Amino acid sequence: MATIIDGKAIAAKLRTEIAADAAALSAQGIQPGLAVVLVGEDPASAVYVSMKEKACAAAGIFSDEHKLPPETSEAELLALIGKLNDDSRIHGILVQLPLPGHIDTDKVLEAISPLKDVDGFHPYNVGRLVVGKPLFQPCTPYGVMVMLKESGVSLAGKEVVVVGRSNIVGKPVAFMCLQEHATVTLCHSRSRDLAAHVGRADVVIAAVGKPEMIRGEWIKPGAVVIDVGVNRVGEKKLVGDVEFAAASERASAITPVPGGVGPMTITMLLYNTVQSAKRQKVQG
Ligand code: NDP
């Protein structure tokens, strides 16, 4: 049976370290600050934003909330981002996605200063990641890398198969694994014979959004399985993209859903914010 990679425990340990770093900075007069901007009333977004605010409070990070009505214009939002870019109390700016349809998301993400882009979505930060000189790394894939490291999984020379090529998870995690010297295959909805790709992998990273679509029998015995997927099944049950029970019988280590990658995302947001405050301190 596979070892369970406990995301909650790894996140808790990291959050203690982040809080200590934040306290040390605050003692020197620089409390790390995160601005969180929410436009509209999407209930899921509101829940994420409130989780982020609570996590900031627990870590000693100043959180500056901006809850804007759904009719907020693109110009108004861009003006707010401009102000936050210039505000020295703010070290990270996060605009909760999705934005209402009348606002151009790319334009908004590109308006955030790359030096405060704690979500790592600005093309400047994407480019830095691709050339192997990251500044801010996007939180979910960064969390995956930390989990692998904390679990003692070295990627050098390994076959990593990533399923899903989104800009927020699949693509960045593939480049991060490449940076760690893995041989990376990036699969998507047009990939042929997914089972064969997955069956070759020493490490499988699933980020698809389809309940248990990666069958347990595809997993190579001894492989490490990281399941980013979060899928609601029925009223209350959450499952990942991997058939957990069957995959656990073949894998050497596997992340559960919930309690795997999920808790790492906000943790890495806090981490990025504190790192940004440290950088700003050095630059004066
Ligand atoms: P997207 O919907 O943006 O991307 C899904 C990807 O899966 C696409 O690249 C798509 O391919 C690919 N795909 C779809 N069907 C198949 C298939 N049959 N075979 C192979 N590939 C397929 O999703 P996200 O990356 O945003 O999220 C993925 C999952 O991760 C979701 O469950 C989401 O909830 C979860 N998630 C969890 C987070 C966390 O904190 N734990 C954070 C972010 C996401 P194509 O490009 O060809 O369409």
Side-chain angles (χ1 to χ4, degrees):
M1 281 297 280
T3 305
I4 302 297
I5 302 177
D6 185 345
K8 267 196 213 161
I10 297 171
K13 176 179 158 238
L14 210 56
R15 286 192 196 196
T16 306
E17 292 167 13
I18 293 166
D21 276 1
L25 281 165
S26 296
Q28 296 166 59
I30 303 165
Q31 185 185 18
L34 175 68
V36 181
V37 182
L38 173 64
V39 185
E41 283 147 8
D42 176 52
S45 295
V47 170
Y48 290 136
V49 164
S50 104
M51 282 165 67
K52 286 167 189 174
E53 287 160 3
K54 279 193 196 126
C56 279
I61 294 172
F62 160 61
S63 102
D64 180 30
E65 304 152 26
H66 297 266
K67 292 186 177 145
L68 309 179
E71 64 275 12
T72 302
S73 70
E74 186 178 286
E76 285 168 323
L77 180 55
L78 291 173
L80 171 61
I81 291 172
K83 268 195 212 151
L84 296 171
N85 283 340
D86 293 338
D87 185 340
S88 61
R89 297 169 310 155
I90 301 299
H91 304 98
I93 301 172
L94 180 147
V95 176
Q96 185 66 43
L97 302 180
L99 288 169
H102 64 278
I103 297 178
D104 180 342
T105 300
D106 289 339
K107 208 166 167 185
V108 169
L109 294 181
E110 287 178 36
I112 295 172
S113 162
L115 302 177
K116 296 189 177 186
D117 173 36
V118 281
D119 254 344
F121 293 159
H122 191 291
Y124 173 84
N125 281 311
V126 176
R128 298 250 338 201
L129 177 63
V130 172
V131 296
K133 294 187 174 144
L135 183 67
F136 288 111
Q137 306 195 60
C139 301
T140 301
Y142 201 2
V144 167
M145 300 310 284
V146 170
M147 291 178 98
L148 287 169
K149 196 162 177 220
E150 289 284 324
S151 309
V153 179
S154 151
L155 294 181
K158 301 268 176 68
E159 295 279 343
V160 173
V161 172
V162 178
V163 190
R165 58 171 163 182
S166 73
N167 288 334
I168 63 166
V169 189
K171 270 186 219 161
V173 89
F175 280 103
M176 290 175 190
C177 292
L178 189 60
Q179 187 65 17
E180 292 300 319
H181 314 293
T183 303
V184 182
T185 304
L186 187 47
C187 297
H188 47 79
S189 66
R190 312 282 182 95
S191 298
R192 270 181 276 158
D193 203 352
L194 187 61
H197 287 296
V198 171
R200 259 199 340 266
D202 300 309
V203 177
V204 180
I205 302 174
V208 183
K210 296 207 164 143
E212 300 192 324
M213 71 154 293
I214 311 262
R215 313 310 299 172
E217 72 211 38
W218 298 354
I219 304 295
K220 181 164 95 174
V224 173
V225 178
I226 306 288
D227 192 350
V228 183
V230 181
N231 308 289
R232 194 165 288 282
V233 177
E235 276 289 290
K236 290 208 169 131
K237 196 172 175 216
L238 288 183
V239 300
D241 290 342
V242 179
E243 194 190 9
F244 181 81
S248 304
E249 286 174 14
R250 295 169 71 88
S252 61
I254 188 167
T255 60
V257 177
V261 177
M264 294 302 292
T265 299
I266 293 183
T267 304
M268 299 320 293
L269 174 70
L270 304 174
Y271 178 84
N272 278 348
T273 304
V274 171
Q275 292 308 306
S276 180
K278 277 188 192 170
R279 265 199 294 273
Q280 227 152 294
K281 175 176 171 270
V282 171
Q283 283 157 2

